[in-house]
Amino acid sequence: MPDFQAILETIYQNALQAPDKGTVATYIPELAHISQDNFGIHLRTSDGKSYGVGHFNKPFSIQSISKVLALSKAMSLIGESIWKRIDVEPSGHPFNQLALLEIENGIPRNPFINSGAIVIADILLSNLKHPKSDFLNYVRDLTNDNTIEYNEAVAHSEKMTGFKNYAAANLLKSFKNLENPVDDVLDFYFHQCSLEMTCGQLTKTFSFLANQGTCMLNKTRLSESQVKRINALMLTCGFYDEAGEFAFEVGLPGKSGVGGGIVALLPHHFTIATWAPGLNKKGNSKLGMLALEAFTSQTKLSIF
Ligand code: GLN
């Protein structure tokens, strides 16, 4: 068994030396004042051991990482019929790009670009009695942690500035790919993205995807086949127009968010989460990508 704590510490120190630490996202004003100096990594193995360095216990805005959790809830509710409304192909474009959506008649390329996640939000709205609290409880249950909360200030801040998401939702509505009113769907979507979690919580939350669908409460959340599909989507679409680069450098299914978080996993082995708010030009955490590349290179633990 490798000395994971020592490996994480070396990787952390090396990444801190990087001359370019990326740029904090400012298009959601509430995220703009998060210090670029935050940096944490947490690893949880499938046999229950955990290792952390830096700010792994500090909550941050998980943003698009939440799209994986929304998808898994939607899959548990309506199964394969999701794929009548969303495709499963990488987009090769930024997360908020709209051109493809119009060309492809309102069918989003995948559930992790914004338009796809907005359709998933619509599905949850149609199928949950109390969408925001039911979804929050779902995430808390996956993690076995009742302290997880939405950040209302972040949700509100995005609502005030989310013009492209309004455009996407209106386009989806015009193609009859939204059942609920645009404002209701986006209110849910902005809350989902505003979830705050630590790296230590994220490695728990995502452990059901490393453990054939079994969550921290030992409950089966998804079938093995559904887990396979979500992990495949993370590998091919989890980093937008940098999905190829992440597979090439890191070699794990994973998902990023503009809050600077990344979660990745090796089925049957571990989940790992990083947080460093400085982003590269494609909107993915600069130090997070560096750290994960170093981790899989040093440990030789990747799906390849
Ligand atoms: N809430 C963000 C948005 O819709 C999520 C984007 C992201 O994390 N990549 O723009």
Side-chain angles (χ1 to χ4, degrees):
M1 178 73 95
D3 184 348
F4 285 127
Q5 189 63 37
I7 292 171
L8 290 188
E9 269 157 32
T10 311
I11 288 170
Y12 177 80
Q13 291 303 337
N14 288 345
L16 279 179
Q17 307 306 316
D20 176 4
K21 297 190 173 54
T23 315
V24 175
T26 53
Y27 78 100
I28 302 175
E30 198 63 24
L31 297 184
H33 53 75
I34 307 292
S35 165
Q36 212 191 26
D37 295 335
N38 288 295
F39 183 27
I41 312 175
H42 190 265
L43 170 75
R44 186 176 302 276
T45 59
S46 293
D47 59 5
K49 298 196 179 68
S50 85
Y51 311 85
V53 282
H55 300 113
F56 69 90
N57 262 332
K58 199 167 162 187
F60 62 93
S61 193
I62 73 166
Q63 291 296 322
S64 284
I65 294 173
S66 68
K67 293 170 179 171
V68 182
L69 306 173
L71 172 65
S72 79
K73 181 68 190 168
M75 278 174 97
S76 72
L77 289 166
I78 68 162
E80 297 295 304
S81 55
I82 291 174
W83 311 119
K84 290 185 196 134
R85 297 175 59 184
I86 307 175
D87 208 344
V88 293
E89 293 298 337
S91 70
H93 288 283
F95 57 84
N96 56 4
Q97 203 240 30
L98 297 175
L100 271 181
L101 185 62
E102 170 131 57
I103 294 167
E104 297 180 347
N105 301 317
I107 301 294
R109 270 288 170 108
N110 65 67
F112 297 153
I113 52 173
N114 287 8
S115 54
I118 291 169
V119 173
I120 296 290
D122 185 56
I123 291 170
L124 294 181
L125 231 59
S126 297
N127 288 278
L128 293 174
K129 218 171 181 172
H130 307 290
K132 279 192 270 189
S133 56
D134 290 353
F135 180 68
L136 182 59
N137 285 334
Y138 174 71
V139 177
R140 287 174 167 181
D141 265 14
L142 281 178
T143 318
N144 193 13
D145 187 334
N146 282 333
T147 65
I148 297 166
E149 295 283 0
Y150 297 122
N151 181 323
E152 291 293 339
V154 171
H156 179 74
S157 179
E158 192 169 2
K159 191 174 197 159
M160 294 294 109
T161 53
F163 306 112
K164 277 203 131 179
N165 286 324
Y166 278 97
N170 279 295
L171 209 46
L172 289 163
K173 191 79 178 165
S174 77
F175 282 108
K176 306 207 177 337
N177 201 2
L178 280 195
E179 290 173 354
N180 298 282
V182 163
D183 283 332
D184 296 357
V185 177
L186 288 180
D187 180 61
F188 178 87
Y189 172 75
F190 295 143
H191 275 83
Q192 164 203 318
C193 288
S194 82
L195 274 176
E196 284 202 333
M197 293 174 70
T198 67
C199 290
Q201 287 170 324
L202 277 170
T203 57
K204 283 187 179 170
T205 322
F206 276 70
S207 65
F208 78 113
L209 294 173
N211 299 318
Q212 302 85 59
T214 305
C215 75
M216 292 303 290
L217 284 175
N218 232 2
K219 285 193 213 156
T220 304
R221 297 304 183 144
L222 292 176
S223 69
E224 286 191 38
S225 150
Q226 288 173 319
V227 168
K228 177 190 78 176
R229 296 194 196 297
I230 293 181
N231 286 341
L233 283 166
M234 284 203 284
L235 184 72
T236 52
C237 313
F239 296 80
Y240 318 110
D241 45 342
E242 207 169 34
E245 180 80 10
F246 192 81
F248 184 82
E249 299 282 351
V250 180
L252 296 173
K255 184 76 202 79
S256 63
V258 289
I262 298 180
V263 186
L265 60 96
L266 180 61
H268 310 281
H269 283 86
F270 63 78
T271 49
I272 187 164
T274 60
W275 175 45
L279 307 179
N280 65 19
K281 289 201 171 63
K282 309 268 169 127
N284 299 314
S285 169
K286 186 108 192 169
L287 296 193
M289 295 228 352
L290 271 181
L292 290 169
E293 192 276 322
F295 181 78
T296 55
S297 297
Q298 284 182 33
T299 60
K300 301 191 173 48
L301 293 170
S302 93
I303 62 167
F304 304 110

